[in-house]
Amino acid sequence: MAADRRIVIENCSIATVDAHDTEHASGHVVIAGNRIESVGAGRAPEGLQDVARRIDATGHLVTPGLVNTHHHYYQWITRGLATDHNLFDWLVALYPTWARIDEEMVRAAARGSLAMMARGGVTTAMDHHYVFPRGSGDLSGAIIGAARDMGVRFTLARGSMDRSEKDGGLPPDFAVETLEGALAATEETVRQHHDTSFDAMTQVAVAPCSPFSVSTELLRDGAALARRLGVRLHTHGSETVEEEQFCKELFGMGPTDYFESTGWLGEDVWMAHCVHMNDSDIAAFARTKTGVAHCPSSNARLAAGIARVPDMLAAGVPVGLGVDGTASNESGELHTELRNALLINRLGAHREAALNARQALRLGTYGGAQVLGRSAEIGSLEPGKLADLVLWKLDTLAHASIADPVTALVFGAAAPVTASFVNGRQIVEDNRLLTADEDAIARATREEARRLARIAGH
């Protein structure tokens, strides 16, 4: 939409998720081009020029778009496998299949993953892709192209692995890269695709996979590369007790100390999971402003444990939410993670005081923007920020008797998305994608899943 054309949304409840958690029981949002022009109580200002559309959002809650901070799109075509395994056993079971992926499979899986998130209120997504089998094609390009076509704001965490089975790692030998090859390919991906502009739709992070699938040299050199190129860093950290034991046996220290020794703590870093963190680990993350992608459903699916999210937040650690790969969270939806984050954390030491509805919403919006390094542009509804926002329908049977709209969204059933805007462009209407054919995506993912299963010998 042209910068001087406006969309006016009125008569809705609004949760801005700004620094003061400002809310309006009945208010308005005005979009001008790809920016939020105004947010406030009551009707929109009179006399607005060039209004292209007015939306009567009675019965809706408007929030910032959801921000997903950890995912593995390729896993969309291996859902429902190894359903009763812990992390290491699950990886051993699935790596031989994942090592057979190719460009067409990855493109279909990325479209499936993105479609499921987008129709459920995600406006900013990321993908941590680290499996690059030899001769598999342009996997990064396929993923970035899928996100561009879907109309979602996107960060590709260009992953890598160089520790295979012969080196004591878990991936098959032919599914890893060399140290030099991984670094060179990562740098080329950043130079080709990373956009530094305020309204960037595509960014790239440097993302070696995990302590047990990459060498110390790849971690250390990857951190140096990211800082030379001015991009963020991402990896898995402290996910399971087995990982902690692995680090102590191999490196003589726990994961957090190991990461710090390789340059992997800092305000330009975020890590997935961080389930097994002691007080000193949390203090180190808080001191360095290292971010966390909390993945409650995946952590439960793989019996990894309950991350200490309330303690992290109290210490000042930036925390966002992640779907994680859909081989460990088959639903692939981020809006259900708002509820799961709240409920699972209440099983921990803080019980009913662990998280409330507004803290959960903040994790899924502003918190995610923080860990992706984009809190100045997205994550809250404020004038001047990018127009990434969602209209949740809360007047149906599922939610109509819950008086507080934020409580309805977080505690209630998954709310329908009447409209979702990214960069001022509407990409969802009445719970259906406007940018892609969901049925065609479903067919393609089913076909590619079957093809992969045949190739892998299932």
Side-chain angles (χ1 to χ4, degrees), residues 323-345:
V323 169
D324 203 7
T326 48
S328 66
N329 177 4
E330 276 72 7
S331 76
E333 298 175 300
L334 191 68
H335 60 313
T336 59
E337 298 304 297
L338 301 175
R339 186 173 192 263
N340 290 345
L342 184 149
L343 296 181
I344 289 174
N345 278 282

Side-chain angles (χ1 to χ4, degrees), residues 3-283:
D4 59 348
R5 303 290 282 175
R6 291 180 171 83
I7 298 173
V8 177
I9 305 167
E10 295 180 300
N11 305 320
C12 49
S13 299
I14 300 172
T16 67
V17 200
D18 65 8
H20 307 289
D21 275 329
T22 304
E23 296 182 13
H24 304 291
S26 180
H28 69 273
V29 179
V30 178
I31 298 171
N34 70 345
R35 304 290 181 100
I36 297 170
E37 184 175 67
S38 66
V39 183
R43 302 295 297 271
E46 296 291 335
L48 290 174
Q49 300 296 308
D50 298 309
V51 175
R53 185 179 175 196
R54 287 186 179 270
I55 299 173
D56 180 357
T58 301
H60 289 76
L61 171 66
V62 177
T63 71
L66 301 184
V67 179
N68 182 39
T69 62
H70 186 65
H71 211 316
H72 310 293
Y73 293 171
Y74 73 91
Q75 292 181 15
W76 187 264
I77 56 174
T78 60
R79 294 190 293 165
L81 304 177
T83 55
D84 304 310
H85 294 53
N86 66 28
L87 176 66
F88 275 26
D89 291 343
W90 176 82
L91 289 171
V92 169
L94 291 174
Y95 264 135
T97 298
W98 294 340
R100 306 292 182 177
I101 60 174
D102 62 25
E103 185 175 336
E104 283 307 306
M105 293 175 189
V106 168
R107 179 177 291 105
R111 286 172 63 79
S113 298
L114 285 158
M116 199 67 189
M117 285 187 292
R119 69 197 293 272
V122 169
T123 56
T124 296
M126 67 81 67
D127 185 29
H128 184 192
H129 188 87
Y130 52 84
V131 182
F132 291 90
R134 293 171 201 144
S136 55
D138 182 9
L139 305 189
S140 294
I143 297 163
I144 289 169
R148 181 184 60 243
D149 293 345
M150 203 71 61
V152 172
R153 204 176 300 282
F154 181 62
T155 295
L156 175 68
R158 203 291 180 181
S160 51
M161 299 185 293
D162 69 340
R163 185 192 295 277
S164 66
E165 288 175 317
K166 66 178 172 54
D167 303 311
L170 299 178
D173 295 341
F174 63 87
V176 304
E177 300 172 281
T178 64
L179 170 65
E180 296 77 13
L183 292 169
T186 300
E187 180 166 2
E188 178 61 22
T189 303
V190 173
R191 294 198 183 281
Q192 263 192 290
H193 298 290
H194 182 69
D195 183 353
T196 60
S197 60
F198 183 87
D199 58 357
M201 292 296 290
T202 304
Q203 296 196 329
V204 180
V206 175
C209 182
S210 66
F212 48 85
S213 60
V214 307
S215 65
T216 299
E217 291 76 19
L218 182 51
L219 275 179
R220 186 176 292 119
D221 293 353
L225 173 66
R227 288 174 178 132
R228 175 166 61 83
L229 297 176
V231 299
R232 297 181 73 75
L233 300 87
H234 181 59
T235 192
H236 297 88
S238 301
E239 185 173 359
T240 65
V241 291
E242 291 85 2
E243 178 190 331
E244 185 171 11
Q245 292 165 356
F246 178 93
C247 288
K248 286 181 176 177
E249 290 172 8
L250 201 62
F251 311 122
M253 63 187 91
T256 299
D257 290 336
Y258 175 60
F259 282 127
E260 187 156 34
S261 75
T262 56
W264 271 80
L265 294 185
E267 61 183 359
D268 55 355
V269 179
W270 86 102
M271 297 191 196
H273 302 294
C274 299
V275 175
H276 296 277
M277 303 265 284
N278 60 32
D279 289 347
S280 64
D281 295 331
I282 292 174

Side-chain angles (χ1 to χ4, degrees), residues 342-400:
L342 184 149
L343 296 181
I344 289 174
N345 278 282
R346 288 190 178 187
L347 295 174
H350 295 274
R351 301 182 64 187
E352 69 276 7
L355 290 176
N356 62 38
R358 283 159 177 82
Q359 288 174 307
L361 178 59
R362 180 170 288 274
L363 290 177
T365 53
Y366 187 82
Q370 274 188 300
V371 303
L372 293 184
R374 305 205 65 176
S375 59
E377 303 112 89
I378 60 173
S380 59
L381 301 180
E382 301 179 72
K385 283 198 165 185
L386 296 170
D388 294 7
L389 54 93
V390 180
L391 280 69
W392 308 92
K393 188 170 177 59
L394 298 179
D395 60 357
T396 68
L397 173 65
H399 303 92

